[in-house]
């Protein structure tokens, strides 16, 4: 009895981490099925959507089958953890590590803090935002206000989601604050092209992970997961758009 | 000179996006290089007179093929490279001008921009899809019949 339970635990833990931090559904299903097969279970079936995973397998004929599910509530973007879990599952399938070692590794991945500190992420958001404001037709002089505005929107989205756990409202508030900061900076005499600066301040909020995963999932036939990812990306974009619409109608 | 500056800025911005999405450290620089290639293909397409949508599709295809290829070599999930790689193509400016036109009441102009935004987003998706189709030859995702049975 013990082994089946242990394998079920590590499979579901691996799946939970991957799905939570932004892996595609097909990758979760494939990884879990491979891990369960590598532990010599038969009749392995896995069904994952964007918000939950079902996994079932049987240990031996004539014995009880195991079937469990986990529900995933939070969806974040941390592709480093997905890569780490991928590595652990690869080692487990190849037989390099035992079930206990895999469990320990997975727990340490789940508990690990983010790979990059928060200030670096804000700084990176600033660089990305100012870079894109230049690429979309801004001038050299617009780099600085776009940097500041992008940092503002990144800080707002992180802090908002930390204290008020409301989905999609974080992006709305961030778009509003970033846009306001951009317009105020232009009024104060920094920068010339207000449009490009606002675009730069919004770029860190782009829902890149759900967008790419939606395409991937739809392609590999996970229609349910693909459509729900696409809906998530669409709602995020709409909340950014409504945030910026509010700014424009108030200030511009 | 202007082009080189654009490439360098694309590199910095793509690496920034890599940090935002928390990609592994060894994939950061590679992701930035893929973003640079994407931007170069997009610019080359526009320079040779192709439409913006088609150039976007070509650039997205390039980014996706490169990331599939490299991801297999260095053993990381494709998304960790593909997401920063396609970000220079995101039609952020069109989306913003769509919003601006709607807020100002220019609905026809807004629809025009909106359609272009959708087409460019679709072009990105088409490039990703096509690269995926190339790299899943033989694995078979989705059939209509079972001719080999």
């Amino acid at each position: 009895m013990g082994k089946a339970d242990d394998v079920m635990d590590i499979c579901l833990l691996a799946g939970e981490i991957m799905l939570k931090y932004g892996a595609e559904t097909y990758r979760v299903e494939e990884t879990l099925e491979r891990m369960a097969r590598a532990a010599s279970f038969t009749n392995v079936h896995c069904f994952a959507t964007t918000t939950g995973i079902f996994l079932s397998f049987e240990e031996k004929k004539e014995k009880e089958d195991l079937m469990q599910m986990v529900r995933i509530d939070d969806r974040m973007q941390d592709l480093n953890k997905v890569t780490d879990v991928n590595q652990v599952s690869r080692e487990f399938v190849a037989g390099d590590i035992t079930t206990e070692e895999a469990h320990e590794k997975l727990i340490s991945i789940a508990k690990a803090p983010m790979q990059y500190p928060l200030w670096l992420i804000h700084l990176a958001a600033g660089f990305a935002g100012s870079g894109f404001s230049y690429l979309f037709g801004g001038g050299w002089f617009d780099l600085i206000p776009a940097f500041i505005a992008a940092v503002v929107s990144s800080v707002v989205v992180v802090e908002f989601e930390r204290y008020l756990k409301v989905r999609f409202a974080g992006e709305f508030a961030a778009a509003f604050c970033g846009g306001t900061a951009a317009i105020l900076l232009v009024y104060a005499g920094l920068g010339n092209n207000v449009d490009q600066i606002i675009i730069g301040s919004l770029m860190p909020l782009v829902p890149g992970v759900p967008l790419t995963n939606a395409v991937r999932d739809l392609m590999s036939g996970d229609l349910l997961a693909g459509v729900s990812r696409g809906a998530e990306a669409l709602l995020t974009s709409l909340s950014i758009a409504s945030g910026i619409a509010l700014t424009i109608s108030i200030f511009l | 000179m202007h082009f080189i500056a654009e490439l360098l800025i694309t590199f910095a911005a793509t690496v920034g996006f890599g940090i935002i999405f928390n990609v592994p450290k060894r994939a950061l620089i590679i992701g930035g290089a893929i973003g640079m290639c994407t931007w170069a293909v997009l610019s080359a397409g526009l320079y040779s007179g192709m439409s913006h949508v088609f150039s976007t599709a070509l650039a997205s295809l390039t980014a996706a093929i490169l990331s599939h290829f490299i991801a297999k070599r260095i053993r990381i999930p494709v998304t960790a490279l593909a997401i920063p790689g396609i970000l220079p193509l995101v039609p952020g400016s069109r989306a913003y001008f769509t919003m601006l036109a709607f807020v100002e009441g220019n609905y026809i102009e807004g629809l025009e921009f909106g359609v272009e935004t959708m087409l460019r987003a679709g072009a990105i998706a088409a490039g990703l899809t096509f690269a995926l189709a190339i790299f899943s030859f033989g694995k078979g995702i989705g059939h209509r019949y079972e001719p080999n049975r």
Side-chain angles (χ1 to χ4, degrees):
Chain A
M1 190 61 207
K3 193 193 171 198
D5 258 2
D6 288 347
V7 173
M8 179 61 94
D9 277 354
I10 63 162
C11 284
L12 285 180
L13 185 58
E16 191 181 346
I17 299 173
M18 289 177 95
L19 206 52
K20 185 172 172 185
Y21 291 105
E24 314 97 303
T25 313
Y26 100 96
R27 185 181 301 282
V28 174
E29 289 181 353
E30 208 177 274
T31 309
L32 263 53
E33 288 185 2
R34 269 193 203 157
M35 282 169 75
R37 286 218 182 87
S40 68
F41 292 109
T42 51
N43 211 359
V44 182
H45 289 286
C46 178
F47 174 67
T49 70
T50 318
T51 47
I53 308 171
F54 299 82
L55 179 66
S56 79
F57 52 70
E58 58 183 5
E59 196 171 356
K60 248 184 275 165
K61 277 276 176 238
E62 311 291 319
K63 237 186 151 186
E64 272 184 55
D65 295 352
L66 276 174
M67 157 97 198
Q68 274 189 31
M69 75 156 294
V70 282
R71 155 92 204 184
I72 284 103
D73 283 318
D74 304 317
R75 285 185 295 286
M76 294 169 239
Q77 45 190 33
D78 192 339
L79 296 175
N80 188 44
K81 292 197 174 182
V82 177
T83 314
D84 286 347
V85 174
N86 217 22
Q87 188 61 35
V88 171
S89 87
R90 200 172 275 138
E91 285 168 9
F92 181 74
V93 170
D96 293 343
I97 53 174
T98 61
T99 314
E100 287 80 32
E101 282 167 350
H103 196 236
E104 275 168 25
K105 280 193 175 182
L106 286 173
I107 284 183
S108 71
I109 291 172
K111 281 186 182 158
M114 274 190 302
Q115 180 191 14
Y116 305 110
L118 214 48
W119 60 266
L120 186 63
I121 289 179
H122 294 323
L123 209 64
F127 276 115
S130 59
F132 275 101
S133 82
Y134 181 80
L135 292 179
F136 286 136
W140 289 108
F141 197 49
D142 302 331
L143 287 180
I144 300 161
F147 184 90
I148 300 170
V151 170
V152 167
S153 62
S154 173
V155 169
V156 170
V157 76
V158 171
E159 296 302 319
F160 199 95
E161 281 175 350
R162 182 185 304 181
Y163 292 110
L164 304 159
K165 296 184 181 347
V166 192
R167 195 160 290 160
F168 303 119
E171 276 88 359
F172 178 83
F176 179 73
C177 296
T180 310
I183 292 173
L184 289 182
L185 284 169
V186 173
Y187 277 160
L190 262 171
N192 306 318
N193 306 311
V194 70
D195 293 337
Q196 272 74 20
I197 297 172
I198 293 177
I199 296 165
S201 77
L202 299 183
M203 281 310 276
L205 308 173
V206 169
V209 175
L211 214 62
T212 322
N213 285 350
V215 175
R216 184 64 179 83
D217 284 342
L218 283 175
M219 245 320 260
S220 55
D222 294 315
L223 299 179
L224 202 61
V227 170
S228 58
R229 290 265 194 206
E232 191 188 356
L234 192 68
L235 279 174
T236 313
S237 324
L238 282 181
S239 51
I240 296 172
S242 36
I244 206 65
L246 188 63
T247 323
I248 294 171
S249 28
I250 293 177
F251 294 104
L252 217 62
Chain B
M1 186 58 217
H2 180 65
F3 184 62
I4 293 170
E6 272 188 356
L7 279 185
L8 287 179
I9 286 182
T10 315
F11 183 80
T14 317
V15 170
F17 263 110
I19 296 176
I20 295 176
F21 292 125
N22 260 310
V23 306
K25 277 175 190 141
R26 62 203 156 110
L28 264 186
I29 302 295
I30 303 172
I34 292 176
M36 247 162 83
C37 294
T38 313
W39 187 260
V41 172
L42 180 70
S43 308
L46 291 177
Y47 186 74
S48 58
M50 283 188 259
S51 75
H52 210 300
V53 174
F54 189 64
S55 317
T56 306
L58 269 188
S60 149
L61 179 64
T62 318
I65 286 181
L66 278 176
S67 29
H68 272 278
F69 200 70
I70 299 172
K72 264 190 192 144
R73 286 285 163 83
I74 63 172
R75 302 194 150 207
I76 58 172
V78 183
T79 30
L81 291 176
I83 293 175
I86 58 158
L87 263 162
L89 305 171
V90 170
S93 84
R94 287 293 129 175
Y96 169 73
F97 284 118
T98 309
M99 211 53 233
L100 193 65
F102 277 127
V103 170
E104 285 171 352
N106 305 325
Y107 295 121
I108 300 295
E109 196 188 339
L111 282 179
E112 250 174 58
F113 281 135
V115 168
E116 205 184 331
T117 312
M118 298 295 280
L119 279 178
R120 285 199 204 169
I124 300 176
L128 283 177
T129 309
F130 198 65
L132 184 67
I134 293 175
F135 276 87
S136 54
F137 264 144
K139 282 186 208 162
I141 28 179
H143 297 289
R144 188 162 301 191
Y145 304 113
E146 294 180 308
N148 298 330
R149 185 161 279 190

